[in-house]
Amino acid sequence: MAGERDHMVCTACGAVTPIESVPSTCPQCDGILDLVLGEARNAAPEGPESAGIWRFAEHLPFCRPEHRITLGEGHSPLLAAPRLGAALGVEDLWIKNDSLQPSGSFKDRAVAIATSLAREYGREAMVLSSSGNAGASSAAYAARAGLPLFVLVPKTAPPAKLRQIVVAGARLVTVDGQTHDCCRLAKEAAETMGWVNLTTTYHNPYGVDGYATIAYELADLAPDVLLLPISSGPLLGGMMKGFERLKALGRIDKIPRPVAVQTAACAPIVKAYEEGGAVEPWTHRPTIASALNDTLAGYERDGDYTLSFIRKHDGAAVAVDDEAIVEAVRLTASTEGVVLEPSAAVPIAALKHARDALRLSPGDRVVAVTTGHGLKDLSTVGDAALPDAISPSFVNLRPLLNGST
């Protein structure tokens, strides 16, 4: 019986699919799949088996310890941000810095689960579409698992992320198209070849529960509002699923309000939220926040699913432009020492440039989840910000020291 084991349930038609096939979408209607945990649970991990997100094994799909793949993901710093909060007028601001993961982005949580299931159920290879971060993450975990991986990226992906993919030995395929083109090709490849689709949209339904582990790590802080950078939104969906599970278990008293933050250059979910309708595909435009530049063309339903969590929990969706994002990168680094890639800084930009839409109340405990390390994309700094060299003489150094305190 499906209820006795982990299984997948389609959110559109309700069809049940065995997890053993490691499906990407519903075989009946191509709908989004939701992981339902069965009665056979992972044992409480001990010692090396508790590494990474597998310390939450009781909340994750069943996987034998010898098939669990980890690079030590999870456990990201949770930092009070008083100087940044003061600059933004937020009394109780925190940063959940998920850029400090093994590959430099939050994607490691999702990829760790899906790669482990590929091992558990004997899949021969993996494939994904990525704008860069998911590809770098998947390449690292594929190498750890000893599995072949094909990564499809748009030609606009940042070079630093592509080098991460190549150095880990994955097969990089650059596509003369957009993210949604890569997503379509990865889905076709997975279905044709019988591989696991690691694409970190809802095409990777196990990754959603990987992101739920962020909620488990935030539970003791009891946040009121979550600010989350999103494209299709499984980060938001996964975290809300995690908080819902904790509430059902009686481990928390309240579920925080989620705020989805997108770049103004690509904001299909924000537009649907503001207009009260369904998500429509976006026309591609360039943006410094490359990791969020997904038009959702062909899988608009992903945005609708994310929007259902936002509406259910009285959340919001806002957009910020590139100028605000650059400002947020620099402000976060200079006030708290946290260096972020542009896409990860959009929650900070929203606190200043979309404040009214956030509907914050005085005293709200606000957590900004930051998702990608700044070393992946330093385009906001540029060579113009670097000083010219001086000769090695204190006479030349001394004038630079005046007024430094």
Side-chain angles (χ1 to χ4, degrees):
M1 296 291 293
E4 297 174 352
R5 306 183 64 174
D6 295 347
H7 57 283
M8 314 301 294
V9 176
C10 179
T11 59
C13 73
V16 175
T17 302
I19 196 172
E20 288 83 355
S21 62
V22 200
S24 176
T25 58
C26 176
Q28 303 297 321
C29 74
D30 197 39
I32 295 172
L33 294 174
D34 182 38
L35 172 64
V36 178
L37 300 179
E39 296 174 0
R41 302 301 334 118
N42 293 302
E46 298 179 359
E49 294 179 13
S50 65
I53 58 174
W54 290 105
R55 68 184 176 121
F56 298 112
E58 63 177 310
H59 300 298
L60 299 176
F62 180 80
C63 184
R64 286 171 289 181
E66 62 267 28
H67 292 154
R68 297 175 188 172
I69 305 301
T70 181
L71 286 168
E73 66 289 329
H75 315 273
S76 59
L78 177 59
L79 306 172
R83 297 187 71 236
L84 180 61
L88 297 171
V90 181
E91 180 180 341
D92 195 3
L93 177 63
W94 295 73
I95 295 173
K96 178 62 170 168
N97 190 8
D98 229 48
S99 71
L100 293 181
Q101 296 297 324
S103 79
S105 88
F106 77 116
K107 302 285 188 178
D108 290 356
R109 296 178 187 261
V111 172
I113 299 294
T115 305
S116 297
L117 293 181
R119 282 276 300 270
E120 177 72 12
Y121 296 113
R123 302 295 101 175
E124 294 182 353
M126 303 181 294
V127 63
L128 81 155
S129 161
S130 174
S131 60
N133 279 335
S137 176
S138 297
Y141 282 83
R144 182 77 166 168
L147 288 172
L149 173 71
F150 289 76
V151 184
L152 281 59
V153 301
K155 63 180 181 180
T156 54
K161 298 178 183 180
L162 302 186
R163 295 186 185 102
Q164 276 190 274
I165 296 170
V166 172
V167 75
R171 176 68 179 273
L172 179 66
V173 180
T174 302
V175 177
D176 187 7
Q178 309 305 330
T179 299
H180 67 267
D181 296 310
C182 297
C183 190
R184 172 179 51 80
L185 290 172
K187 184 175 185 295
E188 291 178 11
E191 292 173 349
T192 301
M193 306 299 292
W195 296 345
V196 173
N197 189 349
L198 295 183
T199 302
T200 52
T201 60
Y202 289 104
H203 286 86
N204 179 351
Y206 325 98
V208 175
D209 284 70
Y211 298 138
T213 61
I214 304 176
Y216 308 148
E217 293 175 15
L218 286 174
D220 290 342
L221 185 68
D224 297 298
V225 179
L226 304 171
L227 301 179
L228 308 171
I230 67 165
S231 51
S232 60
L235 170 64
L236 188 149
M239 288 188 63
M240 299 318 295
K241 187 176 180 180
F243 280 113
E244 289 172 355
R245 184 174 292 151
L246 291 173
K247 183 73 160 50
L249 292 171
R251 297 183 185 179
I252 60 173
D253 296 325
K254 64 179 180 181
I255 295 175
R257 291 178 50 241
V259 177
V261 190
Q262 297 192 289
T263 166
C266 189
I269 293 176
V270 175
K271 182 175 184 290
Y273 169 79
E274 292 176 345
E275 295 179 355
V279 172
E280 298 177 352
W282 196 266
T283 300
H284 183 267
R285 303 202 311 251
T287 173
I288 195 170
S290 61
L292 305 181
N293 201 6
D294 188 345
T295 66
L296 303 188
Y299 46 100
E300 299 87 349
R301 51 80 188 282
D302 281 26
D304 290 327
Y305 190 53
T306 297
L307 199 51
S308 71
F309 284 103
I310 295 171
R311 290 168 172 159
K312 179 180 180 181
H313 295 290
D314 190 31
V318 301
V320 290
D321 62 25
D322 278 10
E323 183 178 354
I325 295 169
V326 171
E327 179 187 2
V329 169
R330 294 175 175 173
L331 182 62
T332 307
S334 63
T335 57
E336 301 294 349
V338 177
V339 181
L340 303 170
E341 69 168 313
S343 299
V346 297
I348 309 304
L351 283 170
K352 181 172 183 179
H353 294 278
R355 183 65 175 270
D356 292 343
L358 302 182
R359 294 186 284 115
L360 299 182
S361 299
D364 273 348
R365 174 161 288 175
V366 179
V367 175
V369 178
T370 55
T371 50
H373 201 285
L375 293 180
K376 287 175 171 284
D377 186 351
L378 289 173
S379 58
T380 57
V381 178
D383 293 338
L386 303 178
D388 295 331
I390 65 169
S391 62
S393 166
F394 190 74
V395 172
N396 294 316
L397 176 62
R398 181 58 182 266
L400 303 178
L401 305 180
N402 292 333
S404 62
T405 59

